[in-house]
Amino acid sequence: MDGPVNSKGGSTTSVDVDDLDLSKLLDKPKLKIERKRSFDERSFSELSINVRQLESYDSLYSPGYRSSGIGTPLSARGEAFDPHPMVGEAWEALRRSIVYFKELPVGTIAAYDHASEEVLNYDQVFVRDFVPSALAFLMNGEPEIVKNFLLKTLYLQGWEKRVDRFKLGEGVMPASFKVLHNPTRKTETLIADFGESAIGRVAPVDSGFWWIILLRAYTKHTGDTTLAEAPECQRGMRLILSLCLSEGFDTFPTLLCADGCSMIDRRMGIYGYPIEIQALFFMSLRCALLMLKHDAEGKEIIERIVKRLHALSYHMRSYFWLNFQQLNDIYRYKTEEYSHTATNKFNVIPDSIPDWVFDFMPCRGGYFIGNVSPARMDFRWFALGNFVAILSSLATPEQSTAIMDLIEERWEELIGEVPLKITYPAIESHEWRIVTGCDPKNTRWSYHNGGSWPVLLWLLTAACIKTGRPQIARKAIELAESRLQKDSWPEYYDGTLGRYVGKQARKFQTWSIAGYLVSKMMLEDPSHLGMISLEEDKAMKPLIKRSASWTCVKPKEDM
């Protein structure tokens, strides 16, 4: 059976889930836990010295968990909170997007656009797209759909995945899945998409990371540890991370990725070590540390995680970070330096610095640039990677503050009239032809080439709350409220200020709707931030300017 055409990502695998053993987990009772020391407060270095049995899931439990009335948003019932008229319509639209499998809610479709003649794959449940929907349901006291989604995608992970006769790694999570109904046989079947039908034939790297992050959010908010502790979930996490933690020829702790492997799912010159993937990788490693059991199988991968986190945090904070001083230093770089004493470690030619960055960089502020690899620094701003860096504490407190300073200083460029730019600036002219392959969807200031995406509002809001800047989020939400409902919740906006509904944007895009709801609920009750934010590890090695790049352990002499 031919799978559906996928404009986002994934090969198609048909799965009949009548004998789904994981469904037994749905009926497991919640574990009664005792309040003990917060695991979030335990440091990586402490774990690396003494990896021991997890004392409790205290840090994963959110005491603010509430249950709502059927179909009634919690935010609409608070006496002290006067909801915007858009909130009710947003909830109705979100519920219309729910997908059912065997009468159980298992996710939300990408878009509910009846006006579009081309459905493509917008009627599927995407892992990355469902995350803001899942957070909205969790915040509203409806965790069942999230649990069902986690189980179904976990089951699909276990199926053999082939693209043009080439077998993908066991840990790859699907980009999306679809429920097919056979009215004649009265059966329902899941069709999983891993990359074979994607435009560009790229498997998703970010799906597995989002799955781990969402599993932690579910566990944190509900206090139900039975799901994360289940052998199937423990194995799923280990498979995902084993793909990323394997040792090879790469000399960097960052994860080498192809173009189109993440939310930016078309060729946009992010091949190499894109900030979005590195930040999600870092966050999923930290989330996994909180949930992996310290048994024989878990202990080995936990030790690898701890070592990788130290190396990754140092690398990212040192080489991906850019502020006025760093830019000035790069501008003065010498080239062709050799040995571990080199300052210009990646041999970046100062003449390769684009002109726009000199005017864009304010004296106050900074950000993680898009990519760093030999002789190349991609100086573009990528919103998702920077916000996840703040939420995961990949960014130091000082760096987090600087990122928010940059947003305030460059409000018009990054936020505009409809929040907010997925990347800045746009690629144009000859560079656009070379980098994107003349992609007509990624023309300048459109789609992933400088388009404005309302879904990013929830990440901006979470970052604002964590850094103590809620006023920035309020201002951005007010801008969104002036347009989103009137424009029927489009997928993205075009133009330098985001003034125009995207030329190919779907209407009633589910994650635009869910992103708005999550933003509103987090501002109403900032304690919700805990399910998607991790505190800084105080014992993390401090940021230093330079370290020895080459170390060699002398082999032992033969006995």
Side-chain angles (χ1 to χ4, degrees):
M1 176 187 211
D2 292 334
V5 176
N6 188 339
S7 65
K8 294 191 175 184
S11 79
T12 55
T13 302
S14 177
V15 182
D16 191 338
V17 211
D18 284 331
D19 57 346
L20 182 58
D21 293 335
L22 294 181
S23 62
K24 297 176 182 178
L25 289 170
L26 294 172
D27 300 322
K28 282 192 176 183
K30 292 183 179 180
L31 182 67
K32 297 293 184 181
I33 62 175
E34 180 184 354
R35 303 284 290 176
K36 291 184 180 180
R37 181 187 177 195
S38 170
F39 191 77
D40 277 337
E41 297 173 359
R42 294 171 63 188
S43 69
F44 303 146
S45 58
E46 179 182 350
L47 281 167
S48 63
I49 295 172
N50 183 18
V51 178
R52 59 178 182 274
Q53 180 67 30
L54 178 61
E55 295 176 350
S56 75
Y57 271 80
D58 175 69
S59 66
L60 298 177
Y61 176 65
S62 175
Y65 171 68
R66 302 175 290 177
S67 179
S68 67
I70 297 176
T72 306
L74 287 173
S75 59
R77 305 203 326 271
E79 295 180 1
F81 181 73
D82 184 18
H84 193 278
M86 280 174 53
V87 172
E89 181 185 315
W91 274 108
E92 290 178 10
L94 181 60
R95 296 193 189 286
R96 282 199 303 269
S97 72
I98 294 177
V99 173
Y100 291 85
F101 179 76
K102 299 188 183 300
E103 300 183 349
L104 291 175
V106 294
T108 53
I109 60 173
Y112 198 80
D113 190 353
H114 292 297
S116 176
E117 296 179 359
E118 291 183 299
V119 176
L120 296 177
N121 61 347
Y122 284 84
D123 62 344
Q124 297 184 26
V125 180
F126 279 83
V127 174
R128 74 174 70 99
D129 292 39
F130 181 67
V131 170
S133 295
L135 296 178
F137 287 123
L138 287 174
M139 292 177 185
N140 201 49
E142 303 176 58
E144 292 79 13
I145 185 174
V146 182
K147 186 172 186 177
N148 295 341
F149 168 85
L150 289 167
L151 289 172
K152 293 300 179 288
T153 46
L154 178 64
Y155 186 74
L156 294 172
Q157 179 201 39
W159 283 73
E160 184 176 279
K161 303 167 277 287
R162 289 185 180 273
V163 177
D164 291 339
R165 299 188 178 187
F166 181 73
K167 185 178 179 181
L168 277 68
E170 278 189 281
V172 174
M173 276 286 183
S176 65
F177 66 85
K178 183 177 181 178
V179 179
L180 292 185
H181 303 272
N182 188 324
T184 304
R185 297 176 57 191
K186 295 182 179 179
T187 59
E188 293 180 341
T189 306
L190 291 180
I191 302 294
D193 192 347
F194 291 95
E196 190 172 87
S197 298
I199 290 180
R201 300 301 185 265
V202 181
V205 176
D206 61 338
S207 291
F209 298 153
W210 279 123
W211 188 88
I212 292 175
I213 292 166
L214 184 57
L215 178 62
R216 185 256 178 186
Y218 169 86
T219 311
K220 167 94 174 169
H221 195 64
T222 65
D224 177 12
T225 62
T226 57
L227 182 61
E229 290 177 340
E232 296 86 354
C233 283
Q234 292 287 311
R235 181 175 183 272
M237 283 189 284
R238 291 196 302 269
L239 286 176
I240 292 169
L241 297 178
S242 292
L243 277 177
C244 312
L245 294 171
S246 58
E247 297 174 342
F249 289 98
D250 206 333
T251 59
F252 309 140
T254 41
L255 197 60
L256 183 63
C257 300
D259 246 332
C261 67
S262 59
M263 178 182 175
I264 298 177
D265 55 25
R266 296 234 180 168
R267 182 174 168 187
M268 272 292 290
I270 65 169
Y271 175 84
Y273 309 91
I275 178 60
E276 176 178 334
I277 291 298
Q278 312 316 318
L280 287 171
F281 181 31
F282 182 87
M283 189 166 192
S284 64
L285 288 175
R286 291 202 62 191
C287 288
L289 270 184
L290 302 174
M291 297 182 292
L292 284 169
K293 289 184 177 180
H294 293 235
D295 52 18
E297 293 177 302
K299 183 177 179 181
E300 186 270 336
I301 198 165
I302 286 172
E303 291 174 341
R304 292 166 66 190
I305 289 172
V306 170
K307 292 177 182 177
R308 190 64 165 262
L309 281 169
H310 278 295
L312 184 60
S313 62
Y314 172 79
H315 184 91
M316 297 297 296
R317 292 171 181 178
S318 301
Y319 304 127
F320 274 67
W321 181 250
L322 189 73
N323 56 22
F324 185 84
Q325 183 60 51
Q326 288 286 98
L327 180 60
N328 205 160
D329 290 345
I330 296 169
Y331 177 70
R332 291 169 50 81
Y333 268 170
K334 296 179 180 179
T335 59
E336 303 299 327
E337 293 183 299
Y338 181 75
S339 87
H340 65 271
T341 60
T343 301
N344 185 0
K345 293 182 180 296
F346 302 100
N347 198 39
V348 174
I349 311 300
D351 287 346
S352 68
I353 304 174
D355 292 338
W356 66 264
V357 77
F358 292 104
D359 294 327
F360 177 74
M361 178 59 68
C363 293
R364 184 178 72 102
Y367 64 103
F368 289 99
I369 63 175
N371 218 320
V372 175
S373 57
R376 181 200 177 201
M377 297 183 80
D378 183 349
F379 290 91
R380 285 177 295 174
W381 153 271
F382 289 86
L384 193 152
N386 275 273
F387 293 146
V388 172
I390 291 175
L391 296 176
S392 64
S393 289
L394 171 60
T396 65
E398 295 77 17
Q399 289 172 337
S400 297
T401 298
I403 292 171
M404 302 312 297
D405 287 342
L406 178 80
I407 290 173
E408 287 190 312
E409 293 286 332
R410 294 292 178 259
W411 182 269
E412 186 171 291
E413 293 91 336
L414 302 181
I415 306 297
E417 293 189 15
V418 179
L420 64 120
K421 284 278 178 284
I422 188 171
T423 182
Y424 181 88
I427 301 173
E428 304 183 57
S429 305
H430 180 66
E431 185 182 12
W432 167 78
R433 295 185 183 92
I434 298 300
V435 172
T436 74
C438 296
D439 188 347
K441 195 168 187 177
N442 266 340
T443 53
R444 62 176 187 168
W445 306 113
S446 180
Y447 200 54
H448 291 142
N449 189 12
S452 296
W453 291 71
V455 64
L456 297 171
L457 193 62
W458 80 263
L459 286 156
L460 170 65
T461 302
C464 288
I465 294 172
K466 183 169 183 180
T467 55
R469 308 278 188 92
Q471 71 280 3
I472 297 179
R474 290 192 189 97
K475 185 178 177 182
I477 290 173
E478 287 174 3
L479 288 173
E481 288 175 338
S482 70
R483 292 291 303 273
L484 288 184
Q485 184 179 25
K486 181 176 66 175
D487 295 335
S488 301
W489 308 93
E491 180 182 14
Y492 63 93
Y493 287 81
D494 286 353
T496 55
L497 297 176
R499 298 179 65 185
Y500 305 97
V501 175
K503 60 179 180 286
Q504 295 188 42
R506 291 301 192 277
K507 299 294 182 71
F508 291 95
Q509 185 79 16
T510 303
W511 67 357
S512 296
I513 296 164
Y516 167 72
L517 288 172
V518 172
S519 299
K520 294 288 283 188
M521 286 190 283
M522 274 197 292
L523 273 184
E524 176 198 353
D525 183 0
S527 69
H528 287 315
L529 178 68
M531 75 170 80
I532 201 66
S533 175
L534 295 166
E535 293 305 311
E536 181 191 17
D537 189 319
K538 303 297 183 183
M540 183 62 72
K541 292 180 180 179
L543 180 66
I544 56 178
K545 289 193 181 283
R546 183 162 57 195
S547 69
S549 298
W550 174 262
T551 55
C552 181
V553 178
K554 184 179 180 181
K556 294 181 179 179
E557 297 180 0
D558 294 335
M559 299 297 291

